C-alpha cells in the first residue's frame, strides 16, 4: 500500500522537461565516443566476467557430487579428484574475478577521464550565447557529480550488469538440472521480482531528474555566497545566506528522503523472495528425499538447489542496485549529452582570413538582441566608423549597451542585423583565434588566475620575455607597485586576484592585454578603480607607445575620455551623439550633464578662487 501511494505521489509530481528528449541509443552513441583507447577494457571485462560466472555455477554441482559421495560412504581416494577440481575451479574463479576487477577499474576511470576532457573542451568552444544557456554551477555539477554517476554506472554495466543476469540464468539452468520441476519457482519469483524492481525504478526516475536540477540551485547558492563573501559580511547577511542555503538543502533532502523511501522497497522484496524460495525448496526437497529415500533427490542436490537459489536471488538483488544506479546515471547522462551535443553558435568560416590588416572598425547599421525570445534589441541601428589608430571614448548610462557594443568587435556575439567589420572585413570572415588575438579586450570584470604575476601576464603572450613584460607593466602603470612586492614579478596571485587591490588588478589586466600587441585595444571601464592621475598616465602611455593601435575606452568618468579623438554617447542601445569633448559639451545634454555633475565641485572651487583673487585685487586698489 505504501509503495502504491509513493508511486502516485511521484507520478503526479511536476517533472522537469527542459532537457532534450535523448533516447537511450542517443546517449550510448554520444558517451561511447569518450571510450576511445579504453574500448578494449569494455569488451575484455564482460568476457572475463562470463568466465567467472560459468565457473561459479559449476562449483555447486561438484559440491553436490562431493556431498552425495560423502553421505554414501566414499573414501578419501574417491573424493580426492572432486576436491582437487573444486580447488582448481575456486582458483580459476578468483583469477577471472581479479582480472575483471582490474580491467573494469582501468576502463571506467579512463572513460571518466576522457569524458571530463571532452566536456571541458566542449565548454571551451562555447560562445557567450552558449554559456548563457548554462549556469556556471550547473556546468561544474556536470563535470563532477554527473561524470561520477556515469562512471559508477559504466563500471556496473561492464561488470555487475553482465555478471548478475548470467549468474541468474546459469543458476536457473543448473537448478533445473539439479532439482527438476522444483526449479519452476525460481522462474516465477524472478519474473515477479524483476517486474517490481522495474516499476520502482520507473517511479524513481523523474524524482532523480528534479534532484539534479536542485543540485544546480544549491551549487548556485554556494558559488554566489563564496564569491561575494566580502559583501555578505559587510552587510551582515550571514543569517540570510544561511537560510537561503538551508532552504535549497532542505528541498534536496526531502526529495532524497522521498526517493529513498521508494527504493527501500527493494530490500524487503528481495528478503520476501528469499524466504519464499527457501521455504518452498526445503519443504518439497526434504519431502522428496524422505519419501523416496534419496532416490529422486539426494542431500547434495538439495544443497545445490539452495545454493543456486541464493545465487539467483543475490544476482537479482545486485541487478536491482545496478538498475537504480543506471536510473540515476541516466539523468546525469542526459545532462552530459546536453553539453556534448550543444553546437557553438560561433564557428569559423570554411576559408577563414588569417590576418587582420589594420585596426579600423565599422558598424554598418548593426542591431543585436541576446536571444530570439528577447522583447527588444540590446543595440539598434548602430552606424559607426572608426579609423585605424583612433582613440574613441564611449559614455552612457547603466543599461545603454556600451559593453554589448564592444563585444561584437571581438565576435563574442554575432550581430543580429547589419555588419561589424574589423580591418575592412566582416568579423565573421576571420579565424576566431586570429581576430581575438588582434582585438584585445580588458573586460569590465577583471579576472586574474592563480599563479605568479608572470604567469598571468603571459596569458597575453605565452612567449613574452621579461623585458616585454616590464615594458607592458610600465605602460599600464603596474611596474611601480610590482617592484614593491618582495618577490616582484614572481609574486603569487591568489585565485581571483584576492591578494591585490582592485586598481592593481585592473593595471595587471591592461598589461596582459598590451602583451598581445593588438591592432585594437578595448578597455571596458577598466580604469574605474585607479585614481585620475594614474588613469591619465596610462592614456598618455598609450599615445606614446601604441599610436597605431585603435583604442576604444568605455568610461564613466569624462576625464578618462575627454582627450579622445571622438566620443560616442549612448542611450538605450542607440548612439545619441558623436563628437569631441568640446563639441559634446555644447551640443549634447547627456554628456554636459555628466560632465557638470562630475566636475561641479572643482568648477565651484575654481570660481571661488577667482572670486577671492578679484576681491583681494579690489581691496589692494582701494588702499
Amino acid at each position: 500500500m505504501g509503495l502504491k501511494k509513493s508511486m502516485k505521489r511521484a507520478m503526479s509530481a511536476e517533472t522537469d522537461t527542459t532537457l532534450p528528449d535523448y533516447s537511450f541509443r542517443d546517449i550510448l552513441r554520444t558517451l561511447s565516443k569518450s571510450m576511445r583507447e579504453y574500448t578494449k577494457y569494455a569488451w575484455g571485462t564482460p568476457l572475463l566476467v562470463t568466465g567467472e560466472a560459468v565457473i561459479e555455477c559449476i562449483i555447486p554441482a561438484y559440491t553436490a557430487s562431493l556431498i552425495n559421495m560423502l553421505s554414501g560412504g566414499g573414501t578419501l581416494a574417491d573424493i580426492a579428484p572432486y576436491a582437487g577440481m573444486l580447488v582448481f575451479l575456486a582458483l580459476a574463479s578468483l583469477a577471472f574475478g581479479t582480472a575483471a576487477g582490474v580491467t573494469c577499474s582501468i576502463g571506467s576511470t579512463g572513460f571518466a577521464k576522457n569524458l571530463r576532457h571532452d566536456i571541458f573542451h566542449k565548454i571551451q568552444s562555447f560562445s557567450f550565447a552558449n554559456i548563457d544557456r548554462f549556469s556556471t554551477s550547473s556546468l561544474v555539477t556536470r563535470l563532477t557529480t554527473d561524470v561520477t554517476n556515469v562512471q559508477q554506472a559504466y563500471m556496473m554495466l561492464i561488470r555487475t550488469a553482465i555478471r548478475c543476469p548470467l549468474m541468474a540464468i546459469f543458476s536457473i539452468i543448473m537448478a533445473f538440472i539439479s532439482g527438476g520441476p522444483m526449479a519452476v519457482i525460481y522462474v516465477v519469483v524472478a519474473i515477479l521480482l524483476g517486474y517490481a524492481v522495474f516499476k520502482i525504478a520507473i517511479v524513481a526516475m523523474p524524482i532523480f531528474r528534479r534532484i539534479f536540477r536542485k543540485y544546480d540551485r544549491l551549487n548556485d547558492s554556494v558559488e554566489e555566497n563564496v564569491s561575494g563573501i566580502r559583501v555578505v559580511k559587510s552587510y551582515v547577511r550571514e543569517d540570510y545566506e544561511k537560510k537561503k542555503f538551508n532552504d535549497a538543502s532542505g528541498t534536496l533532502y526531502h526529495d532524497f528522503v522521498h526517493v529513498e523511501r521508494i527504493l527501500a522497497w527493494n530490500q524487503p522484496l528481495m528478503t520476501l523472495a528469499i524466504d519464499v524460495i527457501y521455504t518452498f525448496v526445503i519443504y518439497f526437497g526434504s519431502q522428496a528425499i524422505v519419501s523416496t529415500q534419496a532416490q529422486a533427490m539426494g542431500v547434495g542436490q538439495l544443497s545445490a538447489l539452495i545454493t543456486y537459489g541464493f545465487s539467483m536471488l543475490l544476482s537479482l538483488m545486485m541487478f536491482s542496485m545496478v538498475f537504480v544506479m543506471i536510473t540515476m546515471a541516466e539523468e546525469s547522462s542526459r545532462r552530459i549529452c546536453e553539453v556534448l551535443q550543444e553546437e557553438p553558435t560561433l564557428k569559423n568560416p570554411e576559408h577563414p582570413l588569417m590576418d587582420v590588416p589594420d585596426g579600423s572598425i565599422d558598424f554598418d547599421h548593426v542591431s543585436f538582441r541576446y536571444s530570439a525570445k528577447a522583447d527588444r534589441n540590446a543595440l539598434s541601428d548602430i552606424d559607426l566608423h572608426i579609423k585605424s589608430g583612433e582613440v574613441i571614448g564611449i559614455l552612457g548610462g547603466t543599461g545603454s549597451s556600451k559593453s554589448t557594443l564592444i563585444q561584437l568587435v571581438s565576435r563574442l556575439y554575432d550581430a543580429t542585423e547589419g555588419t561589424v567589420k574589423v580591418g575592412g572585413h566582416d568579423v565573421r570572415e576571420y579565424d576566431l583565434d586570429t581576430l581575438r588575438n588582434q582585438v584585445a579586450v580588458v573586460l569590465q570584470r577583471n579576472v586574474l588566475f592563480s599563479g605568479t604575476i608572470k604567469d598571468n601576464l603571459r596569458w597575453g603572450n605565452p612567449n613574452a620575455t621579461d623585458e616585454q613584460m616590464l615594458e607592458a607593466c610600465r605602460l599600464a602603470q603596474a611596474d611601480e607597485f610590482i617592484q614593491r612586492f618582495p618577490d616582484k614579478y614572481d609574486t603569487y596571485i591568489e585565485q581571483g586576484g584576492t591578494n591585490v587591490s582592485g586598481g592593481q588588478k585592473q593595471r595587471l589586466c591592461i598589461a596582459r592585454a598590451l602583451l598581445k600587441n593588438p591592432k585594437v585595444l578595448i578597455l571596458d571601464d577598466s580604469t574605474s578603480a585607479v585614481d585620475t592621475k594614474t588613469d591619465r598616465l596610462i592614456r598618455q602611455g598609450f599615445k606614446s607607445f601604441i599610436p597605431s593601435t585603435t583604442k576604444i575606452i568605455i568610461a564613466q568618468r569624462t576625464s578618462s575620455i575627454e582627450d579622445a579623438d571622438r566620443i560616442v554617447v549612448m542611450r538605450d542601445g542607440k548612439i545619441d551623439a558623436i563628437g569631441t569633448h568640446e563639441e559634446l559639451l555644447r551640443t549634447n545634454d547627456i554628456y554636459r550633464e555628466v560632465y557638470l555633475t562630475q566636475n561641479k565641485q572643482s568648477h565651484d572651487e575654481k570660481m571661488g578662487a577667482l572670486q577671492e583673487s578679484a576681491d583681494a585685487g579690489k581691496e589692494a586698489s582701494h588702499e
Side-chain angles (χ1 to χ4, degrees), residues 97 345 348 548:
T345 58
N348 277 334
S548 61

Side-chain angles (χ1 to χ4, degrees), residues 230 446-453 456 478 481-482 484-486 488 490-509 512 529:
R230 288 172 175 78
N446 297 286
V447 176
L448 293 176
F449 298 89
S450 54
T452 65
I453 289 176
N456 275 276
F481 74 80
I482 294 174
R484 292 199 297 266
F485 291 141
K488 296 182 172 52
D490 290 317
T491 299
Y492 189 82
I493 301 293
E494 302 291 343
Q495 184 179 12
T498 55
N499 59 331
V500 291
S501 69
Q504 291 171 339
K505 189 188 300 184
Q506 286 186 335
R507 283 176 276 175
L508 286 172
C509 289
R512 181 173 64 188

